[in-house]
Amino acid sequence: MIHLVARSLADTHNIASAIASIVRPRDLILLVGEMGAGKTAFTVGFARALGVSEDDHVSSPTFTLVHTYDSGRVPVLHADLYRLTSTGEVEDLGIREQLDMGAVGLVEWGDVAQEVLGDALIVSLEADADDTECRTITVSVEGHGWDTRWEPLKASLQKWSAA
Ligand SMILES: Nc1ncnc2c1ncn2[C@@H]1O[C@H](COP(=O)(O)OP(=O)(O)OP(=O)(O)O)[C@@H](O)[C@H]1O
Ligand SMILES: [Mg+2]
């Protein structure tokens, strides 16, 4: 596990950008955290780093559940599963299929879907009780897809290390 501290929104964007720089098509990132923790903010930083244009306004997909942005160097799928109640509904969204076609996926409230969606990088964001700008960010992995990238990832996030 990698423990990080983001002291500002810019830090969260930069952490997302560092992670985006080592992603590959078919990667899945599950975003975990309470309302307002910064899951969408992370996605905005991530999508920008992959070259998704500012015109492709990245926002919360709560009403449509899934958005795909095609203007960057790799298609970015952004989903929000907050409203879903069963894993069958997750399967119906076709997220796995879009990843298999080469997209990178970011899924808010995605921990419930891990079983259905498979290997993932799990990014948990937690607000700070005393500092409204501060977030504790924990990065962990499910499966082996990140094995060879784990050390480079750690190194690129060193700057925000909580240790
Ligand atoms: N360090 C930080 N990291 C992320 N967001 C921050 C930070 N500091 C302040 N914020 C603010 O916190 C809010 C995070 O909201 P955001 O929509 O990203 O949360 P969310 O986790 O997606 O919530 P929801 O579950 O409702 O979708 C934004 O208004 C953002 O500007
Ligand atoms: Mg959100």
Side-chain angles (χ1 to χ4, degrees):
M1 261 211 230
I2 302 174
H3 297 278
L4 307 170
V5 177
R7 301 196 187 283
S8 64
L9 178 61
D11 272 359
T12 298
H13 284 162
N14 289 333
I15 288 167
S17 171
I19 295 175
S21 70
I22 66 152
V23 292
R24 299 174 185 153
R26 297 169 185 238
D27 277 342
L28 172 66
I29 296 174
L30 301 181
L31 297 168
V32 180
E34 296 302 313
M35 265 178 205
K39 301 179 294 297
T40 300
F42 180 97
T43 304
V44 169
F46 189 97
R48 271 189 206 152
L50 288 176
V52 172
S53 96
E54 298 284 333
D55 301 339
D56 240 349
H57 184 65
V58 178
S59 58
S60 179
T62 302
F63 295 101
T64 50
L65 300 175
V66 185
H67 278 165
T68 311
Y69 302 102
D70 288 318
S71 59
R73 79 175 159 79
V74 60
V76 177
L77 174 152
H78 181 201
D80 188 324
L81 305 185
Y82 182 65
R83 286 159 183 253
L84 295 198
T85 51
S86 76
T87 50
E89 290 177 285
V90 176
E91 286 172 329
D92 290 345
L93 293 173
I95 294 172
R96 188 69 258 167
E97 289 76 3
Q98 285 200 54
L99 297 181
D100 288 342
M101 289 193 299
V104 167
L106 292 107
V107 180
E108 297 190 35
W109 300 98
D111 43 338
V112 291
Q114 202 265 313
E115 231 173 90
V116 175
L117 296 174
D119 292 2
L121 192 74
I122 300 166
V123 175
S124 301
L125 300 109
E126 203 182 327
D128 190 291
D130 304 318
D131 183 344
T132 55
E133 297 285 301
C134 190
R135 301 290 185 275
T136 300
I137 300 180
T138 311
V139 182
S140 61
V141 71
E142 194 67 53
H144 291 284
W146 296 77
D147 285 0
T148 60
R149 291 179 283 169
W150 188 248
E151 289 305 325
L153 178 64
K154 240 181 180 166
S156 71
L157 296 171
Q158 185 61 38
K159 193 172 155 188
W160 300 280
S161 177

